[in-house]
Amino acid sequence: MISKNRALINLYNFYTIVLLLIAILFTGFRYGNIDHDYDSYLKWLTDVRENFSVYFFQGKDIGFITLYKVTSLFSNNIEYFFTLVATISIFAKFIFCRLSFNGKYLGVLLLLVFSRLYLVQEFTQVRVAIAMGIASCAVLYWCDDRRKTSIILILVSITFHLSVILIPFLYFIHYNFKSLDNKKNIIFYTYHCIFLVTFQSRFDALYRW
């Protein structure tokens, strides 16, 4: 009976990995006109390849452009780069789903996450896709008292898209909610929430092509 259950688990894991690989390849080798940001990315990354130092010292998504620069040393094929990006973002979300509830609801969580985010992020918001995947894992590692790993992952995710800087702040508010009984703390949190929302709107404007 135990061996039968083990065989079913192995089969389930095998099909999960196969589906993830199909999703990665489907994303990486998509046609250029399948989403409206593809041509913009192509133009931007071509410029990054030729003027890397200029973009790097601007401080905008340095993790993303560095990853592209390193990839371009081996191949200028944009499909290979998008495949690498999809691999990182999809497996990061897979790890997040597996860490949640000790993997008990892995199938359900994968269905919920990918049905909601796959077409939106992996095909269009590719920088956010990586950043959110890594940052989501960071939150669970923090809950698991793996603080150093969590901090490193948060810092890495920020280099792909600065918007994830909101995640540790909101997490801090959520798990310190009792302290909001203090009026000074309410003023403090309200002020910083307004600041972050304003900052995010300005940053979104900066990120428009």
Side-chain angles (χ1 to χ4, degrees):
M1 184 66 180
I2 295 176
S3 60
K4 184 178 180 180
N5 289 337
R6 173 57 60 184
L8 289 174
I9 292 173
N10 291 336
L11 183 62
Y12 172 79
N13 291 335
F14 172 76
Y15 277 116
T16 301
I17 296 299
V18 169
L19 289 174
L20 291 177
L21 291 175
I22 291 173
I24 289 169
L25 294 175
F26 187 63
T27 305
F29 290 94
R30 64 190 183 273
Y31 286 107
N33 59 356
I34 201 168
D35 67 88
H36 66 276
D37 278 352
Y38 188 93
D39 292 335
S40 298
Y41 268 111
L42 185 60
K43 182 179 178 181
W44 178 49
L45 291 174
T46 300
D47 201 24
V48 166
R49 186 174 67 246
E50 298 173 355
N51 303 282
F52 175 74
S53 60
V54 175
Y55 283 95
F56 184 87
F57 287 108
Q58 284 180 356
K60 177 183 176 182
D61 299 340
I62 58 175
F64 186 80
I65 64 173
T66 301
L67 181 64
Y68 175 70
K69 181 62 177 180
V70 173
T71 306
S72 68
L73 295 177
F74 301 94
S75 174
N76 289 329
N77 192 319
I78 195 68
E79 285 82 8
Y80 293 159
F81 174 67
F82 278 126
T83 300
L84 177 61
V85 169
T87 300
I88 297 172
S89 62
I90 288 175
F91 270 98
K93 289 169 183 172
F94 169 73
I95 293 171
F96 167 77
C97 293
R98 193 163 189 170
L99 290 173
S100 302
F101 304 103
N102 296 318
K104 186 177 180 180
Y105 304 108
L106 176 60
V108 175
L109 289 174
L110 283 174
L111 178 63
L112 291 174
V113 169
F114 283 95
S115 63
R116 174 64 183 87
L117 299 176
Y118 178 64
L119 292 177
V120 176
Q121 291 190 355
E122 269 65 39
F123 277 86
T124 305
Q125 303 168 353
V126 294
R127 290 166 294 170
V128 176
I130 291 185
M132 286 300 298
I134 297 174
S136 298
C137 292
V139 171
L140 293 185
Y141 281 127
W142 184 274
C143 295
D144 199 31
D145 291 327
R146 299 169 66 176
R147 302 296 169 84
K148 291 182 179 179
T149 302
S150 177
I151 292 172
I152 291 172
L153 290 177
I154 279 291
L155 293 176
V156 169
S157 67
I158 289 172
T159 67
F160 282 91
H161 203 280
L162 191 56
S163 62
V164 295
I165 201 171
L166 292 170
I167 290 179
F169 183 80
L170 295 176
Y171 177 87
F172 178 78
I173 291 178
H174 178 71
Y175 283 92
N176 291 274
F177 190 76
K178 291 182 180 179
S179 65
L180 293 179
D181 292 337
N182 188 300
K183 292 183 179 179
K184 292 182 179 179
N185 287 334
I186 293 176
I187 295 173
F188 173 81
Y189 287 127
T190 302
Y191 170 78
H192 280 83
C193 281
I194 293 172
F195 168 77
L196 286 171
V197 170
T198 305
F199 172 80
Q200 178 64 25
S201 63
R202 290 177 179 270
F203 202 79
D204 285 342
L206 177 64
Y207 268 80
R208 290 173 184 169
W209 300 106

